[in-house]
Amino acid sequence: MATSRFLGYLESRKNLTGSAAGLAGLALTFTGLAGAYWPVVVAGLYGAGALLAPPERPDAPDFTDPAEQLDKLRADFGKLSTYLDEVDLPPAASGRLTELNEVLTALLEPGWVADALTTDPEAVHTLSRAIRQDIPESVDTFVRTRWWTRIQPGTEPPERHLERQLTLLYDEASALATALREAEARRQETHTRYLEDREGR
């Protein structure tokens, strides 16, 4: 730890500026201007240079690139699809899940939709939450609850809750797709107006 701090100081702006000022002090010594007090002059110039040096600027944090985020999300969606293929779901819920998967696949497919997603962090967060949390939790809760209803018949069927949850998630994904489509349409209209205004000048 101490070694790394020492090495860090050697490369710091303070040390480099102080060293440059100290070399100027040595130059004064060789020309005879510093006289017998040359050690004080060299040390003083080094200290002054180190004090006057600009402070160290920490590197800006390197956050994940949006495109890289989508690549990871696609990989997680592939894992989720593998998991869902192994789960036995009732027909109504299975149909709703298929519709939901189709929308998610279209949103994550490389192309103009994915390009639009990279400019909307909230949309990426919504997709991430659905794929990494909401869908797996809905299906897993259904599987565990269904086991208990076999032991205690007469309770409300867990299929209803699963179907309702998948419907809500489908509506959310569809709304996201609609919002992205409308944003692209507005962008196109804005560009058309810009070209028309430019032509009218």
Side-chain angles (χ1 to χ4, degrees):
M1 184 73 176
T3 305
S4 63
R5 284 184 181 175
F6 176 72
L7 291 175
Y9 179 74
L10 286 179
E11 298 173 353
S12 70
R13 295 180 183 181
K14 289 186 176 296
N15 183 51
L16 294 176
T17 307
S19 297
L23 286 174
L26 284 176
L28 291 174
T29 301
F30 292 133
T31 58
L33 294 175
Y37 300 103
W38 69 267
V40 176
V41 171
V42 172
L45 286 174
Y46 175 87
L51 288 173
L52 293 174
E56 291 296 320
R57 181 173 53 86
D59 295 330
D62 185 21
F63 294 116
T64 306
D65 182 76
E68 187 180 336
Q69 238 180 337
L70 281 180
D71 288 340
K72 291 179 180 177
L73 197 52
R74 287 186 190 103
D76 289 343
F77 184 56
K79 293 177 187 175
L80 176 63
S81 300
T82 302
Y83 161 71
L84 294 175
D85 288 342
E86 299 174 356
V87 179
D88 182 29
L89 298 177
S94 181
R96 181 53 77 187
L97 183 61
T98 299
E99 294 173 346
L100 174 58
N101 280 344
E102 287 173 356
V103 175
L104 294 176
T105 300
L107 287 170
L108 289 171
E109 184 177 344
W112 73 266
V113 179
D115 292 342
L117 279 173
T118 57
T119 62
D120 189 348
E122 188 61 35
V124 175
H125 172 70
T126 300
L127 279 180
S128 175
R129 184 180 57 200
I131 292 169
R132 294 173 174 154
Q133 178 182 336
D134 294 336
I135 298 173
E137 186 173 333
S138 295
V139 173
D140 185 60
T141 303
F142 162 75
V143 172
R144 285 186 280 113
T145 307
R146 182 175 59 176
W147 183 83
W148 285 106
T149 56
R150 288 175 180 168
I151 297 175
Q152 293 179 309
T155 57
E156 185 178 9
E159 291 86 353
R160 290 182 190 168
H161 286 288
L162 176 62
E163 188 177 350
R164 179 67 182 141
Q165 291 165 8
L166 293 176
T167 299
L168 292 170
L169 290 169
Y170 172 79
D171 292 344
E172 183 180 54
S174 296
L176 176 59
T178 301
L180 289 172
R181 179 180 55 79
E182 290 174 351
E184 288 298 314
R186 284 193 301 273
R187 181 179 170 195
Q188 186 182 33
E189 291 169 6
T190 301
H191 189 60
T192 300
R193 283 196 299 273
Y194 162 73
L195 292 174
E196 290 172 346
D197 291 344
R198 191 175 69 180
E199 188 70 21
R201 288 176 189 169

